[in-house]
Amino acid sequence: MSTSSKPRPRDWHPLAESDPVPGDPEEIRDEVTHMKSVATTLRDQAERLRKIKNDDELEGKYAGKLRDESEVLEKHLREVASRYERVHVHLKNWANELEGFQDDADNVLANATRERERLEAEEKGNRSGAEGESTSRDSEAEGDPLHEYRVKLSRIRADRDDRAAHYAGRILDEIDDIIEDSFWDDIKGWIHDNIDKIKWVLDALGWAASILGTFAPFLAFIPIIGPAIAGIALGLSIFIALSRFVLFLAGEASLTEVLMDCVGLVAFATGTKMLAKLKTAGKAVKTASKEQRTQRLKEALRASRSARNEITRVMATTSDDSLREFGRQTLNRMRKEMSQNAGRVADEAPVRPSHLEQLGFGDAEARSLINGIRRNSETFPNAAAVAGKSETYYKVAVGAALTGATADVADKTLGESPVFSGKPFNEAYENFKGETGQLSEDTHW
């Protein structure tokens, strides 16, 4: 627990708007104590590893590997301990100097306050006596009676900045050693430093994806613009989900937040897969229907072959024109009857989009496929067997779209929005989403 620091003055008027020498020396000293403790712990652990490395009684398959790994880890622990020991010295010295600068600044403020009170008292006193005084000090600071104190405070602040830069440079020199942060450590550091901006951008992109996804179905009839808008919405959703997953790995987002971003993508992928299955089923049904119709025609032709041959023979041998015409009409009637009895393969007739389909919950083209599959299945039993779960595919696709849209609307309604900071949100939902499934915070020595 941090030791209580000497309270800093809150009101710095008339010398400054706020504390010109901010900082908490005691917090820095507490950090120094923590660093010394960590360094001691690291050296203790390194000593234990050294004993393992030098233990001649270790035998077995993994003894050699254990000694090698112990030696490497011992070296790393000693390197980190050495860094802590070097750095904490500079932090300790900086805490002492910062405290000195703050004491000097406090004294200047106290003296300036007393001077201001003295001047105010004189102003209320005998003005004639006050006008009779003419000192070099009054004439020098006639426009600003506290000029001397402002100069002192400015000098203290400049000295503080110089010493802060000095110790910052010394610390950077100390940590510029063989211990290097990994590329991922650098990424996590950048994310941590810019997390508010990152979340604002992702929230803005999320709203953009939702708006574009809402309008995409209404613009689908436009050849290039409609598909382009749908593609942009999908691309934004993928980018947001991937970015949130990186934030999760960096400890700046929860797994629940990642899953919420993925609900729409999963729904889209499910719907796309189901519609693809539906189109495949539609092609299979049409192929099976054509095959069965062809088979029926062949069977009808075989059954009527003798009758057609006889009619053809009579037409070829008779000299009666009316009889030949009657024969031609009879053959045409037989062909039409065979074609009708064989059944007609239905094509996908365009259907008028329903209100739900206009809102993106469904697909008129898919419903047209369903109607074609249903008609062909009723006409051709073989096609019905191939149709399988085609109608289920469509229902799942519609349900996926509805699930994705519902999840997005619920998240936008209940969740907090960095873009629209004044938007009301449900605190319990936001806490659940932000804390459930979050990686434990990294421990940095």
Side-chain angles (χ1 to χ4, degrees), residues 131-190:
E131 291 173 359
E133 294 185 27
S134 178
T135 64
S136 59
R137 177 182 172 187
D138 290 338
S139 60
E140 182 181 353
E142 183 177 355
D144 184 6
L146 301 179
H147 175 75
E148 173 187 355
Y149 301 101
R150 298 184 199 280
V151 171
K152 288 182 179 179
L153 189 61
S154 178
R155 189 177 299 117
I156 292 172
R157 182 161 41 195
D159 291 343
R160 186 280 315 266
D161 292 343
D162 289 341
R163 295 305 291 170
H166 165 76
Y167 283 112
R170 295 294 298 273
I171 291 173
L172 287 175
D173 290 340
E174 296 293 357
I175 64 177
D176 186 17
D177 51 21
I178 60 176
I179 304 173
E180 296 290 342
D181 288 338
S182 67
F183 178 69
W184 175 238
D185 289 329
D186 293 336
I187 292 178
K188 287 195 294 183
W190 181 85

Side-chain angles (χ1 to χ4, degrees), residues 53 159 231 280 306 330 367 404 415 441:
K53 180 190 67 174
D159 291 343
T280 302
S306 58
T330 302
R367 190 155 55 87
E441 186 177 357

Side-chain angles (χ1 to χ4, degrees), residues 334-400:
M334 292 176 66
R335 292 191 187 99
K336 288 181 181 179
E337 289 177 353
M338 284 188 289
S339 178
Q340 292 174 354
N341 293 334
R344 183 179 297 277
V345 179
D347 293 321
E348 293 78 24
V351 297
R352 185 181 182 85
S354 65
H355 294 301
L356 283 177
E357 287 167 349
Q358 290 177 347
L359 294 175
F361 304 128
D363 186 278
E365 181 183 356
R367 190 155 55 87
S368 175
L369 273 172
I370 287 292
N371 291 338
I373 291 173
R374 186 181 296 120
R375 290 197 300 271
N376 286 327
S377 298
E378 292 172 352
T379 305
F380 303 100
N382 291 352
V386 176
K389 301 178 180 179
S390 55
E391 296 200 25
T392 302
Y393 298 152
Y394 179 70
K395 292 178 181 178
V396 172
V398 174

